[in-house]
Amino acid sequence: MSVALAPASAGPRRWQRFPLWKRLARLAFTLCAVAAFVASLRTIEVIPEFLYDAPDQLADLFGRMWPMDAGYVGPTLRALVETLHIATLGTLIAIAIAVPIGLMAARNVTPNRALNLFAKFVFVTSRSVNSLVWALLFVAVFGPGPLAGTLAIALRSVGFTGKLFAEALEEANRGSIEALQAAGAGRMSTLLLGYWPQVKPAFWSIALFRWDINIRESAVLGLVGAGGIGVALDTALNLLYWDQVAVVLAAIFGVVILAEIVVTALRARTL
């Protein structure tokens, strides 16, 4: 039996982590990132004098916030309840719209390219417009108030909820679905008995997570007249009542922490 030997002229192999073209690409990316950072600094026109004075201004602002105005707690809590209503109703409307559109977006559920593209277009449109912009549009149509905020939250949430729901449908196991179809189950039976048991944990997780996000977003919609606790915050800011601003900020912080605890507990039960 003969053994092939390496040529004697072959030198030691040189180990190299990245080839030359990858190193050049990484260097070019680094240079572009540094150039973009420098250009951004020049665009925003940072004034060093304001940065030096910022700690003193911040300390003075917190000094004006304390002690908080206890008389403003009642209006703040009423506005906070309205914010929770806006977030909850907006989330429910978004789910009602997102579920059928999510079914159209899932290619394994709706094997129609035109419907798939239409559903994805709806998702992109919803997610590309910020909730404050939606609120400004609905305030112009319906006037200021919680209705504009609710619709803004709903339209903003459709893209997020529907896209994740469609992805959960596309990741469903085909085994049980094909068994139902082979047994002669109709489309609705296939959806309820084949897809729904598999996507139910993901669906409730998406809905709770979006509700948590909507509480945060609805807290600032009042700054553009769309109702909620943002109205109380905007009023206090315009009047320079910093002790009332502190009450509103503390209420927002408290409800966000509470919502996080509730969502975490509910997700632990559903997963």
mmCIF file of all heavy atoms in Angstrom, residues 19-61:
data_model
loop_
_atom_site.group_PDB
_atom_site.id
_atom_site.type_symbol
_atom_site.label_atom_id
_atom_site.label_comp_id
_atom_site.label_asym_id
_atom_site.label_seq_id
_atom_site.Cartn_x
_atom_site.Cartn_y
_atom_site.Cartn_z
ATOM 1 N N PRO A 19 -10.237 36.929 4.371
ATOM 2 C CA PRO A 19 -9.523 37.224 3.125
ATOM 3 C C PRO A 19 -9.405 38.732 2.913
ATOM 4 O O PRO A 19 -10.042 39.536 3.595
ATOM 5 C CB PRO A 19 -10.406 36.564 2.055
ATOM 6 C CG PRO A 19 -11.748 36.441 2.684
ATOM 7 C CD PRO A 19 -11.508 36.257 4.149
ATOM 8 N N LEU A 20 -8.607 39.099 1.916
ATOM 9 C CA LEU A 20 -8.315 40.513 1.690
ATOM 10 C C LEU A 20 -9.565 41.312 1.366
ATOM 11 O O LEU A 20 -9.765 42.423 1.890
ATOM 12 C CB LEU A 20 -7.294 40.653 0.551
ATOM 13 C CG LEU A 20 -6.907 42.087 0.166
ATOM 14 C CD1 LEU A 20 -6.279 42.799 1.354
ATOM 15 C CD2 LEU A 20 -5.977 42.084 -1.031
ATOM 16 N N TRP A 21 -10.460 40.765 0.550
ATOM 17 C CA TRP A 21 -11.644 41.529 0.147
ATOM 18 C C TRP A 21 -12.581 41.770 1.327
ATOM 19 O O TRP A 21 -13.222 42.820 1.425
ATOM 20 C CB TRP A 21 -12.380 40.818 -0.992
ATOM 21 C CG TRP A 21 -13.058 39.537 -0.601
ATOM 22 C CD1 TRP A 21 -12.528 38.291 -0.604
ATOM 23 C CD2 TRP A 21 -14.402 39.399 -0.130
ATOM 24 N NE1 TRP A 21 -13.442 37.368 -0.171
ATOM 25 C CE2 TRP A 21 -14.611 38.015 0.122
ATOM 26 C CE3 TRP A 21 -15.437 40.283 0.097
ATOM 27 C CZ2 TRP A 21 -15.811 37.522 0.583
ATOM 28 C CZ3 TRP A 21 -16.646 39.782 0.564
ATOM 29 C CH2 TRP A 21 -16.826 38.430 0.800
ATOM 30 N N LYS A 22 -12.629 40.820 2.270
ATOM 31 C CA LYS A 22 -13.462 41.034 3.455
ATOM 32 C C LYS A 22 -12.871 42.103 4.364
ATOM 33 O O LYS A 22 -13.590 42.931 4.919
ATOM 34 C CB LYS A 22 -13.629 39.728 4.232
ATOM 35 C CG LYS A 22 -14.637 38.769 3.630
ATOM 36 C CD LYS A 22 -14.929 37.624 4.577
ATOM 37 C CE LYS A 22 -16.017 36.728 4.014
ATOM 38 N NZ LYS A 22 -16.362 35.608 4.936
ATOM 39 N N ARG A 23 -11.545 42.115 4.490
ATOM 40 C CA ARG A 23 -10.918 43.145 5.311
ATOM 41 C C ARG A 23 -11.104 44.529 4.709
ATOM 42 O O ARG A 23 -11.353 45.510 5.411
ATOM 43 C CB ARG A 23 -9.438 42.835 5.496
ATOM 44 C CG ARG A 23 -9.166 41.683 6.468
ATOM 45 C CD ARG A 23 -7.694 41.456 6.667
ATOM 46 N NE ARG A 23 -7.097 40.889 5.466
ATOM 47 C CZ ARG A 23 -5.783 40.861 5.223
ATOM 48 N NH1 ARG A 23 -4.940 41.393 6.084
ATOM 49 N NH2 ARG A 23 -5.318 40.300 4.129
ATOM 50 N N LEU A 24 -11.017 44.610 3.391
ATOM 51 C CA LEU A 24 -11.241 45.894 2.730
ATOM 52 C C LEU A 24 -12.698 46.345 2.882
ATOM 53 O O LEU A 24 -12.972 47.535 3.089
ATOM 54 C CB LEU A 24 -10.861 45.790 1.251
ATOM 55 C CG LEU A 24 -9.377 45.616 0.938
ATOM 56 C CD1 LEU A 24 -9.158 45.438 -0.558
ATOM 57 C CD2 LEU A 24 -8.576 46.811 1.461
ATOM 58 N N ALA A 25 -13.629 45.390 2.798
ATOM 59 C CA ALA A 25 -15.047 45.742 2.963
ATOM 60 C C ALA A 25 -15.324 46.221 4.383
ATOM 61 O O ALA A 25 -16.060 47.190 4.594
ATOM 62 C CB ALA A 25 -15.924 44.529 2.626
ATOM 63 N N ARG A 26 -14.736 45.559 5.387
ATOM 64 C CA ARG A 26 -14.922 45.998 6.771
ATOM 65 C C ARG A 26 -14.324 47.381 7.006
ATOM 66 O O ARG A 26 -14.902 48.216 7.698
ATOM 67 C CB ARG A 26 -14.279 44.975 7.722
ATOM 68 C CG ARG A 26 -15.028 43.651 7.790
ATOM 69 C CD ARG A 26 -14.147 42.557 8.345
ATOM 70 N NE ARG A 26 -13.819 42.800 9.744
ATOM 71 C CZ ARG A 26 -14.499 42.307 10.760
ATOM 72 N NH1 ARG A 26 -15.569 41.549 10.540
ATOM 73 N NH2 ARG A 26 -14.147 42.550 12.001
ATOM 74 N N LEU A 27 -13.154 47.634 6.399
ATOM 75 C CA LEU A 27 -12.536 48.947 6.528
ATOM 76 C C LEU A 27 -13.392 50.019 5.873
ATOM 77 O O LEU A 27 -13.584 51.109 6.431
ATOM 78 C CB LEU A 27 -11.131 48.920 5.902
ATOM 79 C CG LEU A 27 -10.367 50.254 5.909
ATOM 80 C CD1 LEU A 27 -10.151 50.727 7.338
ATOM 81 C CD2 LEU A 27 -9.056 50.111 5.164
ATOM 82 N N ALA A 28 -13.944 49.713 4.683
ATOM 83 C CA ALA A 28 -14.800 50.688 3.991
ATOM 84 C C ALA A 28 -16.062 50.974 4.794
ATOM 85 O O ALA A 28 -16.497 52.128 4.898
ATOM 86 C CB ALA A 28 -15.159 50.163 2.597
ATOM 87 N N PHE A 29 -16.640 49.934 5.391
ATOM 88 C CA PHE A 29 -17.830 50.133 6.218
ATOM 89 C C PHE A 29 -17.511 50.993 7.440
ATOM 90 O O PHE A 29 -18.286 51.885 7.807
ATOM 91 C CB PHE A 29 -18.389 48.777 6.656
ATOM 92 C CG PHE A 29 -19.544 48.887 7.609
ATOM 93 C CD1 PHE A 29 -20.817 49.173 7.145
ATOM 94 C CD2 PHE A 29 -19.360 48.718 8.980
ATOM 95 C CE1 PHE A 29 -21.895 49.278 8.024
ATOM 96 C CE2 PHE A 29 -20.417 48.825 9.859
ATOM 97 C CZ PHE A 29 -21.686 49.107 9.375
ATOM 98 N N THR A 30 -16.375 50.751 8.073
ATOM 99 C CA THR A 30 -15.983 51.545 9.239
ATOM 100 C C THR A 30 -15.784 53.005 8.869
ATOM 101 O O THR A 30 -16.239 53.918 9.581
ATOM 102 C CB THR A 30 -14.698 50.971 9.853
ATOM 103 O OG1 THR A 30 -14.901 49.603 10.200
ATOM 104 C CG2 THR A 30 -14.304 51.749 11.107
ATOM 105 N N LEU A 31 -15.121 53.248 7.742
ATOM 106 C CA LEU A 31 -14.898 54.628 7.302
ATOM 107 C C LEU A 31 -16.219 55.323 6.978
ATOM 108 O O LEU A 31 -16.415 56.493 7.330
ATOM 109 C CB LEU A 31 -13.970 54.646 6.081
ATOM 110 C CG LEU A 31 -12.520 54.196 6.336
ATOM 111 C CD1 LEU A 31 -11.743 54.174 5.027
ATOM 112 C CD2 LEU A 31 -11.845 55.117 7.348
ATOM 113 N N CYS A 32 -17.151 54.606 6.340
ATOM 114 C CA CYS A 32 -18.464 55.192 6.032
ATOM 115 C C CYS A 32 -19.240 55.497 7.313
ATOM 116 O O CYS A 32 -19.903 56.538 7.409
ATOM 117 C CB CYS A 32 -19.257 54.245 5.137
ATOM 118 S SG CYS A 32 -18.618 54.088 3.462
ATOM 119 N N ALA A 33 -19.152 54.606 8.306
ATOM 120 C CA ALA A 33 -19.859 54.846 9.567
ATOM 121 C C ALA A 33 -19.292 56.059 10.291
ATOM 122 O O ALA A 33 -20.042 56.889 10.821
ATOM 123 C CB ALA A 33 -19.761 53.599 10.453
ATOM 124 N N VAL A 34 -17.966 56.189 10.299
ATOM 125 C CA VAL A 34 -17.347 57.355 10.943
ATOM 126 C C VAL A 34 -17.726 58.632 10.206
ATOM 127 O O VAL A 34 -18.048 59.659 10.826
ATOM 128 C CB VAL A 34 -15.816 57.175 11.001
ATOM 129 C CG1 VAL A 34 -15.141 58.460 11.470
ATOM 130 C CG2 VAL A 34 -15.456 56.020 11.922
ATOM 131 N N ALA A 35 -17.712 58.581 8.866
ATOM 132 C CA ALA A 35 -18.093 59.763 8.090
ATOM 133 C C ALA A 35 -19.545 60.146 8.333
ATOM 134 O O ALA A 35 -19.870 61.334 8.457
ATOM 135 C CB ALA A 35 -17.850 59.496 6.602
ATOM 136 N N ALA A 36 -20.432 59.148 8.423
ATOM 137 C CA ALA A 36 -21.847 59.447 8.696
ATOM 138 C C ALA A 36 -22.020 60.041 10.086
ATOM 139 O O ALA A 36 -22.827 60.955 10.282
ATOM 140 C CB ALA A 36 -22.672 58.164 8.557
ATOM 141 N N PHE A 37 -21.253 59.547 11.059
ATOM 142 C CA PHE A 37 -21.339 60.082 12.423
ATOM 143 C C PHE A 37 -20.877 61.533 12.469
ATOM 144 O O PHE A 37 -21.525 62.390 13.087
ATOM 145 C CB PHE A 37 -20.489 59.222 13.350
ATOM 146 C CG PHE A 37 -20.457 59.706 14.768
ATOM 147 C CD1 PHE A 37 -21.550 59.533 15.602
ATOM 148 C CD2 PHE A 37 -19.329 60.340 15.279
ATOM 149 C CE1 PHE A 37 -21.524 59.985 16.902
ATOM 150 C CE2 PHE A 37 -19.290 60.796 16.579
ATOM 151 C CZ PHE A 37 -20.395 60.619 17.402
ATOM 152 N N VAL A 38 -19.767 61.833 11.798
ATOM 153 C CA VAL A 38 -19.262 63.209 11.773
ATOM 154 C C VAL A 38 -20.240 64.133 11.058
ATOM 155 O O VAL A 38 -20.521 65.254 11.518
ATOM 156 C CB VAL A 38 -17.875 63.251 11.107
ATOM 157 C CG1 VAL A 38 -17.402 64.698 10.928
ATOM 158 C CG2 VAL A 38 -16.862 62.471 11.942
ATOM 159 N N ALA A 39 -20.799 63.665 9.931
ATOM 160 C CA ALA A 39 -21.774 64.488 9.213
ATOM 161 C C ALA A 39 -23.025 64.727 10.049
ATOM 162 O O ALA A 39 -23.606 65.820 10.007
ATOM 163 C CB ALA A 39 -22.143 63.806 7.888
ATOM 164 N N SER A 40 -23.451 63.728 10.820
ATOM 165 C CA SER A 40 -24.624 63.902 11.687
ATOM 166 C C SER A 40 -24.357 64.931 12.775
ATOM 167 O O SER A 40 -25.216 65.761 13.083
ATOM 168 C CB SER A 40 -25.016 62.558 12.311
ATOM 169 O OG SER A 40 -25.321 61.610 11.316
ATOM 170 N N LEU A 41 -23.166 64.892 13.367
ATOM 171 C CA LEU A 41 -22.815 65.879 14.387
ATOM 172 C C LEU A 41 -22.840 67.299 13.825
ATOM 173 O O LEU A 41 -23.302 68.235 14.477
ATOM 174 C CB LEU A 41 -21.443 65.564 14.978
ATOM 175 C CG LEU A 41 -21.354 64.394 15.955
ATOM 176 C CD1 LEU A 41 -19.921 64.219 16.432
ATOM 177 C CD2 LEU A 41 -22.276 64.609 17.142
ATOM 178 N N ARG A 42 -22.347 67.454 12.603
ATOM 179 C CA ARG A 42 -22.344 68.788 11.992
ATOM 180 C C ARG A 42 -23.758 69.233 11.639
ATOM 181 O O ARG A 42 -24.078 70.422 11.700
ATOM 182 C CB ARG A 42 -21.476 68.779 10.737
ATOM 183 C CG ARG A 42 -20.002 68.503 11.005
ATOM 184 C CD ARG A 42 -19.178 68.568 9.743
ATOM 185 N NE ARG A 42 -19.257 69.897 9.137
ATOM 186 C CZ ARG A 42 -18.686 70.219 7.977
ATOM 187 N NH1 ARG A 42 -18.005 69.293 7.290
ATOM 188 N NH2 ARG A 42 -18.800 71.441 7.492
ATOM 189 N N THR A 43 -24.634 68.273 11.309
ATOM 190 C CA THR A 43 -25.994 68.630 10.914
ATOM 191 C C THR A 43 -26.824 69.093 12.110
ATOM 192 O O THR A 43 -27.580 70.059 12.010
ATOM 193 C CB THR A 43 -26.676 67.428 10.239
ATOM 194 O OG1 THR A 43 -25.911 67.030 9.104
ATOM 195 C CG2 THR A 43 -28.084 67.781 9.800
ATOM 196 N N ILE A 44 -26.698 68.415 13.251
ATOM 197 C CA ILE A 44 -27.525 68.772 14.400
ATOM 198 C C ILE A 44 -26.987 69.993 15.142
ATOM 199 O O ILE A 44 -27.646 70.490 16.058
ATOM 200 C CB ILE A 44 -27.647 67.590 15.379
ATOM 201 C CG1 ILE A 44 -26.276 67.203 15.946
ATOM 202 C CG2 ILE A 44 -28.302 66.397 14.711
ATOM 203 C CD1 ILE A 44 -26.344 66.087 16.973
ATOM 204 N N GLU A 45 -25.811 70.448 14.785
ATOM 205 C CA GLU A 45 -25.268 71.694 15.332
ATOM 206 C C GLU A 45 -25.246 71.688 16.861
ATOM 207 O O GLU A 45 -25.961 72.428 17.541
ATOM 208 C CB GLU A 45 -26.071 72.901 14.828
ATOM 209 C CG GLU A 45 -26.037 73.061 13.312
ATOM 210 C CD GLU A 45 -26.864 74.249 12.843
ATOM 211 O OE1 GLU A 45 -27.490 74.902 13.710
ATOM 212 O OE2 GLU A 45 -26.876 74.518 11.633
ATOM 213 N N VAL A 46 -24.421 70.828 17.419
ATOM 214 C CA VAL A 46 -24.261 70.754 18.864
ATOM 215 C C VAL A 46 -23.547 72.014 19.356
ATOM 216 O O VAL A 46 -22.488 72.390 18.853
ATOM 217 C CB VAL A 46 -23.461 69.497 19.259
ATOM 218 C CG1 VAL A 46 -23.236 69.460 20.765
ATOM 219 C CG2 VAL A 46 -24.189 68.245 18.790
ATOM 220 N N ILE A 47 -24.140 72.694 20.328
ATOM 221 C CA ILE A 47 -23.561 73.908 20.904
ATOM 222 C C ILE A 47 -22.894 73.533 22.224
ATOM 223 O O ILE A 47 -23.583 73.151 23.184
ATOM 224 C CB ILE A 47 -24.637 74.986 21.118
ATOM 225 C CG1 ILE A 47 -25.325 75.305 19.786
ATOM 226 C CG2 ILE A 47 -24.023 76.246 21.729
ATOM 227 C CD1 ILE A 47 -26.459 76.287 19.907
ATOM 228 N N PRO A 48 -21.564 73.608 22.324
ATOM 229 C CA PRO A 48 -20.880 73.161 23.551
ATOM 230 C C PRO A 48 -21.331 73.918 24.797
ATOM 231 O O PRO A 48 -21.400 73.337 25.884
ATOM 232 C CB PRO A 48 -19.397 73.419 23.239
ATOM 233 C CG PRO A 48 -19.318 73.444 21.747
ATOM 234 C CD PRO A 48 -20.622 74.020 21.278
ATOM 235 N N GLU A 49 -21.656 75.219 24.659
ATOM 236 C CA GLU A 49 -22.072 75.997 25.835
ATOM 237 C C GLU A 49 -23.325 75.415 26.473
ATOM 238 O O GLU A 49 -23.455 75.396 27.709
ATOM 239 C CB GLU A 49 -22.307 77.455 25.450
ATOM 240 C CG GLU A 49 -21.033 78.233 25.099
ATOM 241 C CD GLU A 49 -20.513 77.905 23.705
ATOM 242 O OE1 GLU A 49 -21.251 77.206 22.963
ATOM 243 O OE2 GLU A 49 -19.399 78.323 23.358
ATOM 244 N N PHE A 50 -24.256 74.931 25.646
ATOM 245 C CA PHE A 50 -25.467 74.326 26.183
ATOM 246 C C PHE A 50 -25.175 73.003 26.879
ATOM 247 O O PHE A 50 -25.827 72.659 27.873
ATOM 248 C CB PHE A 50 -26.490 74.115 25.077
ATOM 249 C CG PHE A 50 -27.100 75.390 24.562
ATOM 250 C CD1 PHE A 50 -27.912 75.387 23.432
ATOM 251 C CD2 PHE A 50 -26.871 76.603 25.190
ATOM 252 C CE1 PHE A 50 -28.485 76.562 22.954
ATOM 253 C CE2 PHE A 50 -27.431 77.779 24.726
ATOM 254 C CZ PHE A 50 -28.235 77.768 23.607
ATOM 255 N N LEU A 51 -24.209 72.258 26.374
ATOM 256 C CA LEU A 51 -23.850 71.004 27.021
ATOM 257 C C LEU A 51 -23.215 71.249 28.389
ATOM 258 O O LEU A 51 -23.480 70.523 29.343
ATOM 259 C CB LEU A 51 -22.877 70.223 26.130
ATOM 260 C CG LEU A 51 -23.440 69.692 24.807
ATOM 261 C CD1 LEU A 51 -22.361 68.964 24.024
ATOM 262 C CD2 LEU A 51 -24.623 68.769 25.044
ATOM 263 N N TYR A 52 -22.392 72.273 28.500
ATOM 264 C CA TYR A 52 -21.768 72.582 29.785
ATOM 265 C C TYR A 52 -22.821 72.997 30.818
ATOM 266 O O TYR A 52 -22.700 72.701 32.005
ATOM 267 C CB TYR A 52 -20.737 73.693 29.618
ATOM 268 C CG TYR A 52 -19.614 73.359 28.670
ATOM 269 C CD1 TYR A 52 -18.986 74.350 27.923
ATOM 270 C CD2 TYR A 52 -19.182 72.045 28.515
ATOM 271 C CE1 TYR A 52 -17.963 74.040 27.043
ATOM 272 C CE2 TYR A 52 -18.157 71.724 27.637
ATOM 273 C CZ TYR A 52 -17.551 72.721 26.902
ATOM 274 O OH TYR A 52 -16.546 72.414 26.035
ATOM 275 N N ASP A 53 -23.866 73.688 30.344
ATOM 276 C CA ASP A 53 -24.878 74.202 31.249
ATOM 277 C C ASP A 53 -25.973 73.179 31.559
ATOM 278 O O ASP A 53 -26.813 73.420 32.427
ATOM 279 C CB ASP A 53 -25.504 75.456 30.620
ATOM 280 C CG ASP A 53 -26.366 76.218 31.600
ATOM 281 O OD1 ASP A 53 -25.963 76.378 32.770
ATOM 282 O OD2 ASP A 53 -27.461 76.642 31.209
ATOM 283 N N ALA A 54 -25.980 72.045 30.849
ATOM 284 C CA ALA A 54 -27.063 71.070 30.974
ATOM 285 C C ALA A 54 -27.218 70.512 32.393
ATOM 286 O O ALA A 54 -28.348 70.398 32.886
ATOM 287 C CB ALA A 54 -26.859 69.931 29.974
ATOM 288 N N PRO A 55 -26.156 70.142 33.107
ATOM 289 C CA PRO A 55 -26.357 69.617 34.472
ATOM 290 C C PRO A 55 -27.044 70.614 35.402
ATOM 291 O O PRO A 55 -27.921 70.233 36.193
ATOM 292 C CB PRO A 55 -24.932 69.291 34.936
ATOM 293 C CG PRO A 55 -24.168 69.061 33.677
ATOM 294 C CD PRO A 55 -24.748 70.021 32.691
ATOM 295 N N ASP A 56 -26.669 71.899 35.311
ATOM 296 C CA ASP A 56 -27.304 72.901 36.171
ATOM 297 C C ASP A 56 -28.777 73.076 35.817
ATOM 298 O O ASP A 56 -29.643 73.196 36.702
ATOM 299 C CB ASP A 56 -26.574 74.246 36.038
ATOM 300 C CG ASP A 56 -25.142 74.168 36.551
ATOM 301 O OD1 ASP A 56 -24.878 73.316 37.412
ATOM 302 O OD2 ASP A 56 -24.295 74.956 36.081
ATOM 303 N N GLN A 57 -29.082 73.082 34.505
ATOM 304 C CA GLN A 57 -30.468 73.219 34.082
ATOM 305 C C GLN A 57 -31.300 72.008 34.513
ATOM 306 O O GLN A 57 -32.464 72.144 34.917
ATOM 307 C CB GLN A 57 -30.539 73.385 32.554
ATOM 308 C CG GLN A 57 -29.881 74.647 32.028
ATOM 309 C CD GLN A 57 -30.616 75.896 32.473
ATOM 310 O OE1 GLN A 57 -31.804 75.872 32.798
ATOM 311 N NE2 GLN A 57 -29.897 77.017 32.498
ATOM 312 N N LEU A 58 -30.696 70.825 34.435
ATOM 313 C CA LEU A 58 -31.414 69.619 34.833
ATOM 314 C C LEU A 58 -31.699 69.631 36.331
ATOM 315 O O LEU A 58 -32.804 69.272 36.774
ATOM 316 C CB LEU A 58 -30.591 68.384 34.452
ATOM 317 C CG LEU A 58 -31.290 67.027 34.569
ATOM 318 C CD1 LEU A 58 -32.497 66.960 33.651
ATOM 319 C CD2 LEU A 58 -30.315 65.903 34.237
ATOM 320 N N ALA A 59 -30.715 70.051 37.120
ATOM 321 C CA ALA A 59 -30.922 70.128 38.568
ATOM 322 C C ALA A 59 -32.002 71.150 38.913
ATOM 323 O O ALA A 59 -32.847 70.911 39.793
ATOM 324 C CB ALA A 59 -29.609 70.479 39.253
ATOM 325 N N ASP A 60 -32.025 72.274 38.200
ATOM 326 C CA ASP A 60 -33.052 73.281 38.444
ATOM 327 C C ASP A 60 -34.436 72.767 38.067
ATOM 328 O O ASP A 60 -35.431 73.038 38.763
ATOM 329 C CB ASP A 60 -32.719 74.540 37.634
ATOM 330 C CG ASP A 60 -33.771 75.625 37.806
ATOM 331 O OD1 ASP A 60 -33.904 76.155 38.932
ATOM 332 O OD2 ASP A 60 -34.474 75.930 36.818
ATOM 333 N N LEU A 61 -34.502 71.978 36.981
ATOM 334 C CA LEU A 61 -35.791 71.432 36.551
ATOM 335 C C LEU A 61 -36.349 70.457 37.577
ATOM 336 O O LEU A 61 -37.534 70.514 37.929
ATOM 337 C CB LEU A 61 -35.619 70.736 35.196
ATOM 338 C CG LEU A 61 -36.879 70.150 34.558
ATOM 339 C CD1 LEU A 61 -37.892 71.246 34.282
ATOM 340 C CD2 LEU A 61 -36.529 69.409 33.279
#
